[in-house]
């Protein structure tokens, strides 16, 4: 029963990934900023050699929803922290943080990596998965640490890249295996997963101590 249920969940995930909607329709990204901060402007179009970004490079429609100044979850606060610790205070990523916490040691592993790129699904992306699977199957996914670790690792590139670097690369091989295809421009990159589904960047070029983070509007799915 356990094996068949896991296989059923995998099949459902592959199917639902075709229908995931962008987070722009959810509460996390729908409200326009009252006054867009400087960090919401377009990023530099020349790739940084090391993929390291600054607060001035951050861009995207959801960036204005981050806390400001030195508040937890702000760019100033996240910048000096390793990626999993930084994500734990980001209000766009609370469901992702919960999922990472379900896999023993994964947060520590991410924090210890040197020079990675993380595609972080926003809360609404996981809400879409939950709605498609139903509460029981979604909870079963969170409880299956092997399957969950593989899915989350597919969102990590073992090389640090900024937006311009992503577009120059065009194809990325992920930590879990499998590829992502990058399209668009440095000002508006897109990320296409192994199932052929394309995610948009909600807030990109977020600097942390060991990673550059791109908040995306879909849960990315490998080919198999």
């Amino acid at each position: 029963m356990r094996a068949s249920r896991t296989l059923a969940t995998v099949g459902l995930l592959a199917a639902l990934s075709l229908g995931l909607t962008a987070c722009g329709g959810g509460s996390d990204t729908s409200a326009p900023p009252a006054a867009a901060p400087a960090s919401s402007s377009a990023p530099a179009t020349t790739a940084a050699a090391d993929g390291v970004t600054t607060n001035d490079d951050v861009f995207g429609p959801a960036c204005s929803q981050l806390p400001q100044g030195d508040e937890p979850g702000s760019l100033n606060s996240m910048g000096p922290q390793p990626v999993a610790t930084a994500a734990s205070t980001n209000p766009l990523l609370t469901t992702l943080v919960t999922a990472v916490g379900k896999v023993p040691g994964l947060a520590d592993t991410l924090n210890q990596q040197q020079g990675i790129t993380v595609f972080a699904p926003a809360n609404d992306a996981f809400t879409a998965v939950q709605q498609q699977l139903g509460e029981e199957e979604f909870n079963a996914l969170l409880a299956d640490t092997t399957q969950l670790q593989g899915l989350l690792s597919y969102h990590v590139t073992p090389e640090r890249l900024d937006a311009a670097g992503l577009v120059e690369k065009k194809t990325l091989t992920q930590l879990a295996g499998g590829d992502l295809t990058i399209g668009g421009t440095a000002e508006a990159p897109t990320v296409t997963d192994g199932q052929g589904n394309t995610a948009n960047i909600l807030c990109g070029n977020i600097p942390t101590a060991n990673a550059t983070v791109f908040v995306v509007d879909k849960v990315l799915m490998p080919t198999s």
Side-chain angles (χ1 to χ4, degrees):
M1 284 296 292
R2 174 68 176 177
S4 62
R5 184 172 184 174
T6 300
L7 289 173
T9 301
V10 173
L12 281 168
L13 279 169
L16 70 88
S17 65
L18 297 174
L20 289 180
T21 55
C23 284
S27 59
D28 275 349
T29 58
S30 58
S39 59
S40 66
S41 60
T45 56
T46 302
D50 55 6
V52 175
T53 58
T54 69
N55 291 0
D56 289 337
D57 299 317
V58 175
F59 69 99
C63 296
S64 62
Q65 297 179 35
L66 297 176
Q68 300 300 303
D70 296 324
E71 292 294 315
S74 67
L75 295 174
N76 289 346
S77 173
M78 289 189 291
Q81 299 175 329
V83 64
T85 302
S88 70
T89 60
N90 186 321
L92 302 176
L93 304 177
T94 54
T95 308
L96 174 62
V97 170
T98 297
V100 169
K102 298 285 186 181
V103 181
L106 181 56
D108 289 338
T109 298
L110 291 172
N111 279 342
Q112 292 164 7
Q113 295 293 312
Q114 295 302 313
I116 58 177
T117 303
V118 176
F119 297 97
N123 295 329
D124 281 356
F126 282 101
T127 298
V129 173
Q130 185 175 21
Q131 290 173 344
Q132 292 288 332
L133 287 179
E135 183 111 17
E136 184 177 354
E137 291 295 341
F138 183 74
N139 290 336
L141 170 63
L142 293 181
D144 188 335
T145 56
T146 299
Q147 183 183 347
L148 186 59
Q149 180 169 0
L151 179 64
L152 295 174
S153 297
Y154 184 63
H155 292 74
V156 180
T157 306
E159 180 180 3
R160 188 164 187 168
L161 299 163
D162 62 3
L166 294 179
V167 174
E168 286 183 9
K169 283 283 186 179
K170 298 183 180 178
T171 301
L172 307 176
T173 299
Q174 298 304 90
L175 191 63
D179 292 339
L180 297 175
T181 302
I182 307 300
T185 65
E187 293 82 5
T190 60
V191 186
T192 301
D193 65 19
Q195 297 286 338
N197 308 296
T198 298
N200 297 304
I201 306 299
L202 298 177
C203 188
N205 275 350
I206 298 175
T208 70
N210 66 324
T212 300
V213 178
F214 295 84
V215 179
V216 294
D217 65 1
K218 286 183 175 66
V219 176
L220 304 173
M221 304 299 299
T223 303
S224 59

